[in-house]
Amino acid sequence: MAARDSRGAMPRKPHPLKATLRRALAPAIFMAVLVFFGAYAVLGPNGVLALGDYKRQLAQREKQYATLDQRRAMLKNRVTLLDPRHANPDMVDELVRKELNVAHPDEVIVPLK
């Protein structure tokens, strides 16, 4: 004979579909989270597909850096030539003529720009 509960009724068996759904709930949630993070790792802004874009940006920035480094070296050279302790007379003459906009009558001015 089956045991009765406190109300005197026979305990019911859970429906097989409900029992199956309850057992499958935790793995389903785990799989959904796993799929979400997997898709984010591939398609997200820092994912595998964005790697090509990052490499292209890196190449572009390295090119910009090389250009700026050349400009910095040129400016450093000009600063060295204008050092007050031992200034290069040609550089000083060039800057003075450029700033004061003066030239001798027999000189030919060639604009660089």
Side-chain angles (χ1 to χ4, degrees), residues 52-92:
D53 189 39
Y54 283 138
K55 286 182 179 180
R56 189 171 43 258
Q57 286 178 4
L58 178 63
Q60 180 184 16
R61 300 264 163 72
E62 284 176 344
K63 215 184 286 185
Q64 288 174 347
Y65 174 76
T67 303
L68 290 174
D69 198 37
Q70 287 176 344
R71 175 105 172 113
R72 183 190 59 79
M74 183 197 68
L75 291 173
K76 184 177 179 182
N77 183 40
R78 289 179 66 94
V79 166
T80 303
L81 292 174
L82 291 172
D83 186 10
R85 292 173 290 199
H86 48 75
N88 183 315
D90 291 333
M91 180 61 77
V92 172

Side-chain angles (χ1 to χ4, degrees), residues 41-53:
V42 172
L43 303 172
N46 295 325
V48 174
L49 297 181
L51 184 62
D53 189 39

